[in-house]
Amino acid sequence: MTGRWNTLQLNRDARLRRAQQSLGTQLVGKILSSERIVDLLHAVIESGDRVCLEGNNQKQADFLSSALTGLDAGRVHDLHILQSVLALPEHLDIFEKGIASKLDFSFSGPQAGRLAKLASSGKLNIGAIHTYLELYARYFIDLTPRVALVAAQAADRFGNLYTGANTEDTPTIVEATAFKAGVVIAQVNEIVDTLPRIDIPAGWVDFVVEPPTPHYIEPLFTRDPALISEIQVLMAMMAIKGIYAEYQVERLNHGIGFDTAAIELLLPTYAASLGLKGKIARYWALNPHPALIPAIEAGFVESVYSFGSELGMEDYIRARPDVFFVGADGSMRSNRALCQAAGHYACDMFIGSTLQIDLQGNSSTATLGRISGFGGAPNMGADARGRRHASPAWLKAGQQARAGKNQIPRGQKLVVQIVETFREHMHPAFVETLDAWQLAEQANMAIPPVMIYGDDVTHILTEEGIANLLLCRGEEEREQAIRGVAGYTPVGLARDQRMVDNLRDRGVIQRAEDLGIDKRLATRDLLAAKSMKDLVRASGGLYQPPKRFRNW
Amino acid sequence: MTGRWNTLQLNRDARLRRAQQSLGTQLVGKILSSERIVDLLHAVIESGDRVCLEGNNQKQADFLSSALTGLDAGRVHDLHILQSVLALPEHLDIFEKGIASKLDFSFSGPQAGRLAKLASSGKLNIGAIHTYLELYARYFIDLTPRVALVAAQAADRFGNLYTGANTEDTPTIVEATAFKAGVVIAQVNEIVDTLPRIDIPAGWVDFVVEPPTPHYIEPLFTRDPALISEIQVLMAMMAIKGIYAEYQVERLNHGIGFDTAAIELLLPTYAASLGLKGKIARYWALNPHPALIPAIEAGFVESVYSFGSELGMEDYIRARPDVFFVGADGSMRSNRALCQAAGHYACDMFIGSTLQIDLQGNSSTATLGRISGFGGAPNMGADARGRRHASPAWLKAGQQARAGKNQIPRGQKLVVQIVETFREHMHPAFVETLDAWQLAEQANMAIPPVMIYGDDVTHILTEEGIANLLLCRGEEEREQAIRGVAGYTPVGLARDQRMVDNLRDRGVIQRAEDLGIDKRLATRDLLAAKSMKDLVRASGGLYQPPKRFRNW
């Protein structure tokens, strides 16, 4: 081949040669000594490269990320960074230093404010904000990485990788890069003779480095039951009786937060008392939430497939292989791409919280001065219109949406937004206009960043009740149904009381009492665990919460 | 562990022990001599098991499938078969023999008639029909396999697998099974000392068997250019000028068939003459269609990521690594799950054919007496409502759909149905009522099997013109727009001529002449290749069509 059709391979060969020349005996097979990492990056990264940096919800290739900041911006600049989660300050330092200039990503949580500043200063050009699976999808179409910087638990001398429980994005990133003549560099916590299992074959990996300290993992899915309020208990009761039981929801995903943690902790108590064991919440696409332990122990949960893992849950998962997906070594294999596909196509319901909901039911966590992205919510909280298999929940939601319309029958995913009408600092959750509009203008986005669109939302649940948007006929009813559960927010106070009463008569709005729920029972006594210690106890001592959650 | 939480692992251990006992020295490590395959299956499969049998669009685990038919139905029965494609007679024999009783699948092509008969006789209970990614998603939620029977190109003595170009479903099936204590059996064409590359690590595989003959692969994506009609050339011109150019479609998927093959063959001629090189059709989620060779050679195509491979394209792919995804060994790695995700989320357009379209734009290939499924079309031909990144095509489609509506801006995928108004045997493609309704009743389905729903379709393209459904306001306009391109079918003849004229004035309907297309130029001369031999020539002799396509 002369180079007309194999420029990527020839270019890759040149990069690998440069690495050999630059590193000499500091490179043994694929293994590099960690103090030479910047030299390796200088050798294999070229200006303008698309570089996929592994930053997940939890696992961070932090050593490689920090090494990137050490590049000489005179030699390497204008990198186009692909990264699902920007969690660490160094993720943005490379833009400040002029090493990178473009970013495609999914979520930026703690860095959202600084990201917005860099974007408006012109130092960082945002390609787009994606939901996770969408970003991975582009790795195979128009955003294929030239270089991937990933993290694993261990490697052997050949370069085989063991990811341990936090497999997450690694296999997908490596597959996209390795099979288009890219360069794959992995940081691993240890190099061993024999791996507990192989998650990624050595042939897909070019370089392995063992940093002085293990990679960072964020315990993102732990919620202390002590912080769950009685309002959240009441909302959880309404969710279980008014939605889970009503639609027979067997397969589901829970968003992160205290609202859904409350539901998880009410399964073995309140839901069990309603005779729902074995009837709802059997199959999950979910990180291993500690709050799910009591429901698992009660036999409520048959299977949990996970996007990533959760710190402290390792021994518990290992001891519950009937429930979790684990390898022959006993530790979990999570896979974010496949779990997002599962959440999209194999779940009947997504339920999660948000910051703002407008009168059409559009919701967003985007607020002024912060560009945070939405992670998995858009993928999970969208009707999966390619879905063709039926379930009672899906059929019933579809029937409600299409009743009285001249349309061919079709099912629909349940997408539930669960929010208290006022959030922290008395900010109303219901607004006339989303901050997303202003943010779009500020940040020069093509359209406002909406997390979940109103026409995908089926229910809004607040402490005031449930609004079933599937049953609304027309925009006006939809607006009043939303106002009718918006409590004492300005949006709620501006309701048309007669229309709201009518919607309640028709069951479009349901209050706790309409569901036969006695509000006096909505106390913390219903929680299957009231503290972190209770969760540890429920796990038989197998769950070992990270220090910051240990208050005893 | 006592067995309360590890029943799957204990059960797996028992199965492996039975295999050891039954096979003795016939089992060397993980390698089994092929004549003992039925004994192995008797040892490791239990009645009622969910068994995932690898049947893809192309690659078939045919030896294992045929071995299944040799099971004693007295010992093993009521298997629940999970299989993406039912292509071979033996796939149904196991139901006739009472070995299996339940089926969850995606596509049954050639077996669709027999499948319908078995279903109505009660010998086969259909769980559901899925699109591919949806079925894989359920492998991780509520349809996790106990036993997986897969096919690969080669294995080494440890059980590492090399899939070659037809990787397809294998990694996904094995991942779901191996990490939930299931049993994985692979048939391989050869056992070698050193694999060209490792696609699946040995630790995920329990047994390997080398059958007397290599596994079957179907060349499903080859279309002989000699069979493309001038009507198809005309339709391809309209597609390119009226849709690809109009929306600047850079990332796309083509359905299978002569209609789309014609478009592929017009890229280096007609599209190039319009100055569209580098502006449309740059990034593809597509099997390696031979008809795409001229466009690749002309530099139209930057990247192709594939679901599977195509027989005869091996050497061509190997010589074009800048375009295709290949491993270090030079052969392709396809991955159907990831490519379906890419087709859903990273493509701006899906264009494909169908058998029937109704007045709401719902389309289906389901016909009476045949239960065929829809493969990837529902996933690719649905608006990806979780998508959040913008592109010109996506924004423009979304603007057209929402013009004049009080809705928050949102993009939309282009979903184009391309059909001649009459199909084979003068069956009209446009109908008042889909056969799917009657089939649903016959086969006792919850809802009619629709391939692509009308509310996901954006354009219908026939030899009479393009109907842009995005621009229709209300059901009546939509119906007339469809009638207005339905030609001399009864549906077309029943059009309201005044409304159709009005729709044409508004650009909702566009005829060839409205697009500035001179119909006299729509000849086969525009095809970049007019025969299989031309395709071979265009490839520089690298493409080697299977015998059945060689007519010289």
Short mmCIF file of all heavy atoms in Angstrom, two decimals, chain A residues 154-207:
data_model
loop_
_atom_site.label_atom_id
_atom_site.label_comp_id
_atom_site.label_asym_id
_atom_site.label_seq_id
_atom_site.Cartn_x
_atom_site.Cartn_y
_atom_site.Cartn_z
N ALA A 154 -5.81 -3.12 36.49
CA ALA A 154 -4.52 -3.81 36.39
C ALA A 154 -4.23 -4.21 34.96
O ALA A 154 -5.14 -4.26 34.12
CB ALA A 154 -4.52 -5.06 37.29
N ALA A 155 -2.94 -4.45 34.70
CA ALA A 155 -2.52 -5.00 33.40
C ALA A 155 -1.55 -6.12 33.67
O ALA A 155 -0.92 -6.17 34.73
CB ALA A 155 -1.87 -3.91 32.55
N ASP A 156 -1.43 -7.03 32.70
CA ASP A 156 -0.31 -7.97 32.79
C ASP A 156 0.80 -7.47 31.87
O ASP A 156 0.69 -6.42 31.24
CB ASP A 156 -0.76 -9.40 32.46
CG ASP A 156 -1.25 -9.56 31.03
OD1 ASP A 156 -0.94 -8.70 30.17
OD2 ASP A 156 -1.96 -10.54 30.75
N ARG A 157 1.88 -8.23 31.80
CA ARG A 157 3.05 -7.75 31.07
C ARG A 157 2.82 -7.64 29.57
O ARG A 157 3.57 -7.00 28.86
CB ARG A 157 4.24 -8.68 31.36
CG ARG A 157 4.93 -8.28 32.65
CD ARG A 157 5.73 -9.36 33.31
NE ARG A 157 5.43 -9.38 34.75
CZ ARG A 157 5.75 -8.40 35.59
NH1 ARG A 157 6.37 -7.32 35.17
NH2 ARG A 157 5.43 -8.48 36.87
N PHE A 158 1.79 -8.33 29.09
CA PHE A 158 1.49 -8.26 27.66
C PHE A 158 0.63 -7.05 27.31
O PHE A 158 0.51 -6.67 26.15
CB PHE A 158 0.76 -9.53 27.22
CG PHE A 158 1.50 -10.78 27.58
CD1 PHE A 158 1.11 -11.54 28.68
CD2 PHE A 158 2.60 -11.18 26.85
CE1 PHE A 158 1.80 -12.68 29.03
CE2 PHE A 158 3.31 -12.33 27.20
CZ PHE A 158 2.91 -13.08 28.30
N GLY A 159 -0.01 -6.47 28.31
CA GLY A 159 -0.88 -5.35 28.04
C GLY A 159 -2.36 -5.70 28.09
O GLY A 159 -3.21 -4.86 27.79
N ASN A 160 -2.67 -6.95 28.47
CA ASN A 160 -4.08 -7.25 28.73
C ASN A 160 -4.56 -6.41 29.90
O ASN A 160 -3.81 -6.18 30.85
CB ASN A 160 -4.23 -8.73 29.10
CG ASN A 160 -3.99 -9.66 27.93
OD1 ASN A 160 -4.72 -9.61 26.93
ND2 ASN A 160 -2.96 -10.49 28.04
N LEU A 161 -5.81 -5.97 29.85
CA LEU A 161 -6.33 -5.10 30.91
C LEU A 161 -7.43 -5.77 31.71
O LEU A 161 -8.28 -6.49 31.17
CB LEU A 161 -6.89 -3.80 30.32
CG LEU A 161 -5.95 -2.91 29.51
CD1 LEU A 161 -6.68 -1.63 29.10
CD2 LEU A 161 -4.69 -2.58 30.30
N TYR A 162 -7.39 -5.50 33.00
CA TYR A 162 -8.46 -5.90 33.93
C TYR A 162 -9.05 -4.62 34.48
O TYR A 162 -8.34 -3.81 35.06
CB TYR A 162 -7.86 -6.75 35.05
CG TYR A 162 -8.78 -7.03 36.21
CD1 TYR A 162 -10.00 -7.68 36.01
CD2 TYR A 162 -8.44 -6.64 37.51
CE1 TYR A 162 -10.85 -7.94 37.09
CE2 TYR A 162 -9.28 -6.92 38.59
CZ TYR A 162 -10.48 -7.56 38.37
OH TYR A 162 -11.32 -7.83 39.42
N THR A 163 -10.35 -4.42 34.24
CA THR A 163 -10.95 -3.16 34.67
C THR A 163 -11.51 -3.24 36.07
O THR A 163 -11.78 -2.20 36.69
CB THR A 163 -12.11 -2.74 33.74
OG1 THR A 163 -13.07 -3.79 33.76
CG2 THR A 163 -11.61 -2.51 32.33
N GLY A 164 -11.74 -4.47 36.58
CA GLY A 164 -12.46 -4.57 37.83
C GLY A 164 -13.88 -4.08 37.65
O GLY A 164 -14.39 -3.98 36.52
N ALA A 165 -14.50 -3.76 38.78
CA ALA A 165 -15.94 -3.43 38.77
C ALA A 165 -16.26 -2.20 37.92
O ALA A 165 -17.33 -2.10 37.33
CB ALA A 165 -16.42 -3.23 40.20
N ASN A 166 -15.33 -1.24 37.88
CA ASN A 166 -15.60 -0.02 37.12
C ASN A 166 -15.14 -0.15 35.67
O ASN A 166 -14.28 0.60 35.22
CB ASN A 166 -14.94 1.18 37.81
CG ASN A 166 -15.67 1.56 39.10
OD1 ASN A 166 -15.34 1.06 40.16
ND2 ASN A 166 -16.70 2.38 38.97
N THR A 167 -15.74 -1.07 34.97
CA THR A 167 -15.40 -1.23 33.56
C THR A 167 -15.84 0.02 32.79
O THR A 167 -15.07 0.57 32.00
CB THR A 167 -16.11 -2.47 32.97
OG1 THR A 167 -15.99 -3.56 33.89
CG2 THR A 167 -15.50 -2.85 31.62
N GLU A 168 -17.09 0.43 33.00
CA GLU A 168 -17.63 1.69 32.48
C GLU A 168 -17.36 1.91 30.98
O GLU A 168 -17.68 1.06 30.17
CB GLU A 168 -17.09 2.85 33.34
CG GLU A 168 -17.36 2.59 34.83
CD GLU A 168 -17.15 3.79 35.72
OE1 GLU A 168 -17.57 4.89 35.34
OE2 GLU A 168 -16.61 3.63 36.83
N ASP A 169 -16.73 3.03 30.62
CA ASP A 169 -16.57 3.37 29.20
C ASP A 169 -15.39 2.68 28.52
O ASP A 169 -15.28 2.71 27.29
CB ASP A 169 -16.29 4.88 29.04
CG ASP A 169 -17.39 5.76 29.59
OD1 ASP A 169 -18.34 5.22 30.18
OD2 ASP A 169 -17.31 6.98 29.42
N THR A 170 -14.48 2.09 29.31
CA THR A 170 -13.20 1.66 28.76
C THR A 170 -13.31 0.78 27.50
O THR A 170 -12.67 1.08 26.49
CB THR A 170 -12.34 0.97 29.85
OG1 THR A 170 -12.51 1.66 31.08
CG2 THR A 170 -10.87 0.98 29.46
N PRO A 171 -14.11 -0.30 27.50
CA PRO A 171 -14.10 -1.17 26.31
C PRO A 171 -14.57 -0.44 25.05
O PRO A 171 -14.04 -0.67 23.97
CB PRO A 171 -15.09 -2.29 26.67
CG PRO A 171 -15.33 -2.19 28.13
CD PRO A 171 -15.03 -0.79 28.54
N THR A 172 -15.52 0.45 25.21
CA THR A 172 -16.07 1.15 24.05
C THR A 172 -15.06 2.14 23.47
O THR A 172 -14.85 2.20 22.26
CB THR A 172 -17.36 1.89 24.45
OG1 THR A 172 -18.22 0.96 25.14
CG2 THR A 172 -18.08 2.43 23.24
N ILE A 173 -14.41 2.89 24.35
CA ILE A 173 -13.39 3.84 23.89
C ILE A 173 -12.27 3.10 23.18
O ILE A 173 -11.83 3.49 22.09
CB ILE A 173 -12.79 4.61 25.09
CG1 ILE A 173 -13.85 5.48 25.77
CG2 ILE A 173 -11.59 5.44 24.65
CD1 ILE A 173 -13.37 6.10 27.09
N VAL A 174 -11.81 2.01 23.80
CA VAL A 174 -10.67 1.28 23.22
C VAL A 174 -11.07 0.66 21.88
O VAL A 174 -10.30 0.70 20.92
CB VAL A 174 -10.16 0.21 24.21
CG1 VAL A 174 -9.09 -0.65 23.56
CG2 VAL A 174 -9.60 0.88 25.47
N GLU A 175 -12.27 0.11 21.79
CA GLU A 175 -12.70 -0.51 20.53
C GLU A 175 -12.71 0.51 19.40
O GLU A 175 -12.24 0.24 18.29
CB GLU A 175 -14.08 -1.17 20.71
CG GLU A 175 -14.56 -1.87 19.45
CD GLU A 175 -15.55 -3.01 19.70
OE1 GLU A 175 -15.78 -3.37 20.87
OE2 GLU A 175 -16.09 -3.55 18.72
N ALA A 176 -13.27 1.68 19.67
CA ALA A 176 -13.35 2.70 18.62
C ALA A 176 -11.96 3.14 18.16
O ALA A 176 -11.72 3.38 16.99
CB ALA A 176 -14.14 3.91 19.12
N THR A 177 -11.03 3.24 19.11
CA THR A 177 -9.70 3.76 18.79
C THR A 177 -8.82 2.69 18.14
O THR A 177 -8.20 2.93 17.10
CB THR A 177 -9.01 4.28 20.08
OG1 THR A 177 -9.93 5.13 20.77
CG2 THR A 177 -7.75 5.03 19.76
N ALA A 178 -8.80 1.52 18.75
CA ALA A 178 -7.86 0.48 18.31
C ALA A 178 -8.19 -0.02 16.91
O ALA A 178 -7.31 -0.42 16.17
CB ALA A 178 -7.86 -0.69 19.29
N PHE A 179 -9.47 0.00 16.54
CA PHE A 179 -9.84 -0.56 15.24
C PHE A 179 -9.91 0.51 14.15
O PHE A 179 -10.42 0.26 13.07
CB PHE A 179 -11.13 -1.38 15.36
CG PHE A 179 -10.91 -2.66 16.12
CD1 PHE A 179 -11.11 -2.74 17.49
CD2 PHE A 179 -10.44 -3.79 15.46
CE1 PHE A 179 -10.86 -3.91 18.19
CE2 PHE A 179 -10.19 -4.97 16.15
CZ PHE A 179 -10.41 -5.03 17.52
N LYS A 180 -9.43 1.72 14.44
CA LYS A 180 -9.26 2.71 13.37
C LYS A 180 -7.84 3.25 13.46
O LYS A 180 -7.61 4.46 13.26
CB LYS A 180 -10.31 3.82 13.50
CG LYS A 180 -10.61 4.58 12.20
CD LYS A 180 -11.42 3.79 11.20
CE LYS A 180 -11.57 4.45 9.84
NZ LYS A 180 -12.63 5.41 9.73
N ALA A 181 -6.90 2.34 13.77
CA ALA A 181 -5.47 2.69 13.74
C ALA A 181 -5.11 3.82 14.69
O ALA A 181 -4.17 4.57 14.44
CB ALA A 181 -5.02 3.02 12.32
N GLY A 182 -5.83 3.95 15.78
CA GLY A 182 -5.48 4.93 16.79
C GLY A 182 -4.49 4.36 17.79
O GLY A 182 -4.07 3.21 17.69
N VAL A 183 -4.12 5.18 18.77
CA VAL A 183 -3.15 4.77 19.78
C VAL A 183 -3.86 4.72 21.13
O VAL A 183 -4.53 5.67 21.52
CB VAL A 183 -1.97 5.76 19.85
CG1 VAL A 183 -1.01 5.38 20.97
CG2 VAL A 183 -1.25 5.82 18.51
N VAL A 184 -3.71 3.60 21.85
CA VAL A 184 -4.39 3.42 23.14
C VAL A 184 -3.36 3.36 24.26
O VAL A 184 -2.46 2.52 24.24
CB VAL A 184 -5.24 2.13 23.13
CG1 VAL A 184 -5.85 1.89 24.52
CG2 VAL A 184 -6.33 2.21 22.07
N ILE A 185 -3.52 4.26 25.22
CA ILE A 185 -2.63 4.29 26.39
C ILE A 185 -3.48 4.08 27.64
O ILE A 185 -4.49 4.76 27.82
CB ILE A 185 -1.91 5.65 26.51
CG1 ILE A 185 -1.13 5.94 25.20
CG2 ILE A 185 -0.99 5.66 27.72
CD1 ILE A 185 -0.52 7.34 25.16
N ALA A 186 -3.08 3.11 28.46
CA ALA A 186 -3.86 2.82 29.67
C ALA A 186 -3.03 3.08 30.91
O ALA A 186 -1.88 2.65 30.99
CB ALA A 186 -4.32 1.36 29.65
N GLN A 187 -3.61 3.77 31.88
CA GLN A 187 -2.99 3.83 33.21
C GLN A 187 -3.64 2.73 34.05
O GLN A 187 -4.86 2.53 33.97
CB GLN A 187 -3.18 5.21 33.85
CG GLN A 187 -4.59 5.53 34.32
CD GLN A 187 -4.64 6.79 35.19
OE1 GLN A 187 -4.64 7.90 34.68
NE2 GLN A 187 -4.69 6.62 36.51
N VAL A 188 -2.82 2.00 34.79
CA VAL A 188 -3.37 0.89 35.59
C VAL A 188 -2.83 1.02 37.01
O VAL A 188 -1.71 1.51 37.22
CB VAL A 188 -2.99 -0.48 35.01
CG1 VAL A 188 -3.52 -0.62 33.58
CG2 VAL A 188 -1.48 -0.70 35.02
N ASN A 189 -3.63 0.56 37.97
CA ASN A 189 -3.21 0.68 39.36
C ASN A 189 -2.08 -0.28 39.70
O ASN A 189 -1.30 -0.03 40.62
CB ASN A 189 -4.39 0.43 40.30
CG ASN A 189 -5.47 1.50 40.12
OD1 ASN A 189 -5.20 2.55 39.54
ND2 ASN A 189 -6.66 1.22 40.61
N GLU A 190 -2.03 -1.40 38.97
CA GLU A 190 -0.93 -2.33 39.22
C GLU A 190 -0.67 -3.17 37.99
O GLU A 190 -1.56 -3.39 37.17
CB GLU A 190 -1.23 -3.23 40.42
CG GLU A 190 -2.62 -3.83 40.39
CD GLU A 190 -2.91 -4.77 41.55
OE1 GLU A 190 -1.98 -5.08 42.33
OE2 GLU A 190 -4.06 -5.22 41.66
N ILE A 191 0.59 -3.62 37.90
CA ILE A 191 0.96 -4.54 36.83
C ILE A 191 1.26 -5.87 37.51
O ILE A 191 2.04 -5.91 38.47
CB ILE A 191 2.18 -4.01 36.05
CG1 ILE A 191 1.75 -2.73 35.30
CG2 ILE A 191 2.67 -5.04 35.05
CD1 ILE A 191 2.87 -1.96 34.67
N VAL A 192 0.57 -6.91 37.04
CA VAL A 192 0.66 -8.19 37.75
C VAL A 192 1.01 -9.30 36.75
O VAL A 192 0.94 -9.10 35.54
CB VAL A 192 -0.68 -8.53 38.43
CG1 VAL A 192 -1.03 -7.48 39.47
CG2 VAL A 192 -1.81 -8.65 37.40
N ASP A 193 1.37 -10.46 37.31
CA ASP A 193 1.71 -11.59 36.44
C ASP A 193 0.45 -12.18 35.79
O ASP A 193 0.42 -12.43 34.60
CB ASP A 193 2.43 -12.67 37.23
CG ASP A 193 3.87 -12.25 37.52
OD1 ASP A 193 4.42 -11.49 36.70
OD2 ASP A 193 4.42 -12.67 38.56
N THR A 194 -0.55 -12.39 36.61
CA THR A 194 -1.77 -13.00 36.09
C THR A 194 -2.96 -12.17 36.52
O THR A 194 -3.13 -11.87 37.71
CB THR A 194 -1.94 -14.43 36.66
OG1 THR A 194 -0.72 -15.14 36.46
CG2 THR A 194 -3.07 -15.15 35.94
N LEU A 195 -3.78 -11.79 35.55
CA LEU A 195 -4.95 -10.97 35.86
C LEU A 195 -6.09 -11.85 36.37
O LEU A 195 -6.24 -13.00 35.93
CB LEU A 195 -5.40 -10.24 34.60
CG LEU A 195 -4.44 -9.19 34.05
CD1 LEU A 195 -4.91 -8.71 32.69
CD2 LEU A 195 -4.32 -8.03 35.02
N PRO A 196 -6.91 -11.29 37.26
CA PRO A 196 -8.10 -12.04 37.73
C PRO A 196 -9.01 -12.42 36.55
O PRO A 196 -9.63 -13.46 36.54
CB PRO A 196 -8.80 -11.06 38.66
CG PRO A 196 -7.77 -10.05 39.03
CD PRO A 196 -6.80 -9.97 37.90
N ARG A 197 -9.11 -11.53 35.59
CA ARG A 197 -9.80 -11.83 34.33
C ARG A 197 -9.33 -10.81 33.30
O ARG A 197 -8.77 -9.77 33.70
CB ARG A 197 -11.33 -11.77 34.47
CG ARG A 197 -11.88 -10.37 34.63
CD ARG A 197 -13.41 -10.31 34.60
NE ARG A 197 -13.84 -8.94 34.51
CZ ARG A 197 -14.55 -8.29 35.45
NH1 ARG A 197 -14.93 -8.93 36.55
NH2 ARG A 197 -14.89 -7.02 35.29
N ILE A 198 -9.54 -11.09 32.05
CA ILE A 198 -9.16 -10.13 31.02
C ILE A 198 -10.42 -9.42 30.53
O ILE A 198 -11.37 -10.06 30.09
CB ILE A 198 -8.43 -10.83 29.86
CG1 ILE A 198 -7.08 -11.35 30.36
CG2 ILE A 198 -8.24 -9.87 28.68
CD1 ILE A 198 -6.30 -12.13 29.33
N ASP A 199 -10.43 -8.10 30.64
CA ASP A 199 -11.57 -7.33 30.13
C ASP A 199 -11.28 -6.78 28.75
O ASP A 199 -12.20 -6.60 27.96
CB ASP A 199 -11.89 -6.17 31.10
CG ASP A 199 -12.57 -6.66 32.36
OD1 ASP A 199 -13.74 -7.06 32.26
OD2 ASP A 199 -11.93 -6.68 33.42
N ILE A 200 -10.04 -6.46 28.49
CA ILE A 200 -9.65 -5.91 27.19
C ILE A 200 -8.36 -6.59 26.74
O ILE A 200 -7.36 -6.56 27.47
CB ILE A 200 -9.46 -4.38 27.30
CG1 ILE A 200 -10.82 -3.74 27.59
CG2 ILE A 200 -8.85 -3.81 26.02
CD1 ILE A 200 -10.76 -2.30 27.95
N PRO A 201 -8.40 -7.21 25.55
CA PRO A 201 -7.23 -7.98 25.10
C PRO A 201 -6.04 -7.06 24.81
O PRO A 201 -6.20 -5.92 24.34
CB PRO A 201 -7.71 -8.65 23.81
CG PRO A 201 -9.21 -8.57 23.84
CD PRO A 201 -9.54 -7.34 24.63
N ALA A 202 -4.86 -7.56 25.06
CA ALA A 202 -3.62 -6.79 24.89
C ALA A 202 -3.46 -6.24 23.48
O ALA A 202 -2.91 -5.16 23.29
CB ALA A 202 -2.42 -7.68 25.23
N GLY A 203 -3.98 -6.96 22.50
CA GLY A 203 -3.84 -6.53 21.12
C GLY A 203 -4.52 -5.20 20.82
O GLY A 203 -4.27 -4.58 19.80
N TRP A 204 -5.39 -4.78 21.71
CA TRP A 204 -6.10 -3.51 21.51
C TRP A 204 -5.40 -2.36 22.21
O TRP A 204 -5.89 -1.22 22.16
CB TRP A 204 -7.53 -3.59 22.04
CG TRP A 204 -8.37 -4.73 21.56
CD1 TRP A 204 -7.96 -5.86 20.93
CD2 TRP A 204 -9.79 -4.85 21.67
NE1 TRP A 204 -9.02 -6.67 20.65
CE2 TRP A 204 -10.16 -6.07 21.10
CE3 TRP A 204 -10.79 -4.02 22.21
CZ2 TRP A 204 -11.49 -6.51 21.04
CZ3 TRP A 204 -12.10 -4.45 22.17
CH2 TRP A 204 -12.44 -5.69 21.58
N VAL A 205 -4.31 -2.65 22.92
CA VAL A 205 -3.68 -1.66 23.80
C VAL A 205 -2.23 -1.45 23.36
O VAL A 205 -1.52 -2.41 23.09
CB VAL A 205 -3.71 -2.17 25.26
CG1 VAL A 205 -3.00 -1.19 26.19
CG2 VAL A 205 -5.15 -2.42 25.70
N ASP A 206 -1.78 -0.19 23.30
CA ASP A 206 -0.42 0.07 22.85
C ASP A 206 0.57 0.32 23.99
O ASP A 206 1.70 -0.13 23.93
CB ASP A 206 -0.41 1.28 21.90
CG ASP A 206 -1.20 0.99 20.64
OD1 ASP A 206 -0.83 0.05 19.93
OD2 ASP A 206 -2.22 1.67 20.41
N PHE A 207 0.14 1.06 24.98
CA PHE A 207 1.05 1.41 26.08
C PHE A 207 0.32 1.29 27.41
O PHE A 207 -0.87 1.60 27.52
CB PHE A 207 1.56 2.86 25.93
CG PHE A 207 2.31 3.11 24.66
CD1 PHE A 207 1.68 3.71 23.57
CD2 PHE A 207 3.64 2.72 24.53
CE1 PHE A 207 2.37 3.93 22.39
CE2 PHE A 207 4.33 2.93 23.34
CZ PHE A 207 3.70 3.53 22.27
#
